[in-house]
Amino acid sequence: MNRDERVVRSYSAVLLTLGAAAIHFAAASEHFSEYLPYGIFFVLLGFAQVGLAIALVLVPSRRLFGAALVGTLAVIGIWLMSRTTGMPIAPVPWRPEEIAFPDFAATLLEAISCLVFIRRLRHLNARRAGRVRLALVTAPAFLLSPLMAFGGVGGALSPMPAAYDTAPFVAGQTSTSMVDLVAPDGAQPLKEFTLTAALTAVGGQTAWAYNGTVPGPELRVRQGDRVNVTLINHLPVATSIHWHGINVPNAMDGVAGITQDAVAPGGRFVYEFIANEPGTYWYHSHQDTMNQIPRGLFGSLVVEPNASAPTVRDYTLMIHGLPNSDAVAVNGSASLHLDANPGDTVRLRLIDAVSAMDFGPTGTVQMPVLMGAPYTVAALDGHDLNQPQPLGPERIPLGMGQRADLVFTMPSAGAVRLVGIRGIAPFPWSRPTTASVTIGTGPVPAVNFSSLPTFDLTRYGVPAPDPVLDATRFDVTRQIVLSGGVPMFRNGTFDVADTFNGQASPFIQPINVRLGDLVRLHIVNRSRTTHPIHIHGHIFSVLAKNGRPISGSPVHLDAILVGPGDNWDVGFVADNPGIWMLHCHVLIHAAGGMSMTINYHGIYTPFTMGTASGNIPE
Ligand code: C2O
Ligand code: CU
């Protein structure tokens, strides 16, 4: 080697190249399962990069730097192509792949190594650097490479699952597909509806809406009706409908990747169930729920009781966020007015559908207050309370998804008003928007509602027999510990997850039950936020809060609101076979990991969630 050709080794380039190689090796295993040629390509690429790194140390030369530059640029070029136009040789040719953290990290390291190669080519005759200088020029790569490799390798080793089955078919075991769990035939009166999901302009914003309105149309049926709803999907994405709070047969539950495939654009799906239980319910998308509810895909569903004289005024009030906004509204309006005459009995069916864009420190809890008349909380989550006594103004906590029915008699003079409904403050220093509902006309007494007592469901109304509450033993008991901000690699990236028992969806151990089991859940909140824990297909009986049994009316809920530091005991009868979700209804928490299933023995689902099907239930 003559003096002019002496080339200095570059430890920076070595580190950067090894970092990229580590990520490619880590990504190979997923690629093998997805598409064999990709797996092979990634292993070969990893080996080529390790070989290059060794050569950069042992035999640095001008030629080697030139070849390394060309080769690395080619790898970056292939990456760019795969993310923009797609590749000709691929599981689906010419379909661009999504950018994830691992490929971003590898490409970043490669791009920086290219700069190093160029520098080496331009300063061929650089003198051998002293130790201090060598340490200084190598330091950035020494810090960056391991960091990126750690993130990239961790992400690549925990990708979003390709096809995750929450309850797979077990060979050799008699099992029933949940697809067969539909409503039995019968002569119930048929109520048919069509809900067309499509892009719609709402208040100058593009919303995703059912039949062109946000909220979607109210579906009102009678107890005992056979409800038949055709979902037609005109959205650019797949979607589904879940019937929140109604114990439908499992195949009608609308959960993408668990009880059905999400309905593709242009497709349709017919839901059918019998509305056995009267009450206030709602419906919403359960595909990519975190994004689809905030865009407007929700509406109310009221099952009127069979017996009982109709209430004179029966109003449904959906509290919700406006699409693409931090503003709160009730039935689409910030100040709603409703008619009522003195002496009228009024039933307000409050539904908290406030959306997910809520990062507030206490989760999504609305605290509506009714002022101007004494009222009773007649029902929670659609289920009547036993002998509810009249209340003065109190704040009624409603977590996302929860409902409360308030009943009162219009006073002889003046209006009644629902206040205390708040939106999100986009910044710590800004004020949240508010919404109110005025019933009737005339003045309402002003009350400083932030100092009012909070309604306590554990000692309201009068005790009554309840099979779950009175049970002395349970067949299945399970503790669920809620935690927030748990660092982990998840869905291809580093994440702070929200967990049940330290695990994040979809990898949380399901609760396994048999038909007829009495199940008890002990839910402990170790996080700093409030979580409305929602069950599909079943109704909780509330047993105790912080170890103290409830002392008033039996309380039946489909979501239990668990405040920071609190623990609740709830029970339910496993009387509706299927694969059912149990999740936090704060949508960012569900998507962040707080989602699991209750699996009945002998039932399997043929559906999977993940990248292969595109089903994302949360
Ligand atoms: Cu409102 Cu999983 O549901
Ligand atoms: Cu939560």
Side-chain angles (χ1 to χ4, degrees), residues 485-498 504 591-593:
V486 181
M488 63 171 70
F489 283 106
R490 191 169 171 261
N491 292 341
T493 187
F494 187 76
D495 196 8
V496 273
D498 299 300

Side-chain angles (χ1 to χ4, degrees), residues 530-531 584 586 589 594:
T530 299
H531 303 282
C584 178
V586 175
H589 297 172
M594 283 185 167

Side-chain angles (χ1 to χ4, degrees), residues 40-52:
I40 296 171
F41 174 77
F42 272 76
V43 169
L44 293 180
L45 179 56
F47 277 121
Q49 287 179 316
V50 171
L52 171 62

Side-chain angles (χ1 to χ4, degrees), residues 200-207 323-324:
T200 315
V202 171
Q205 298 281 345
T206 306
N324 311 324

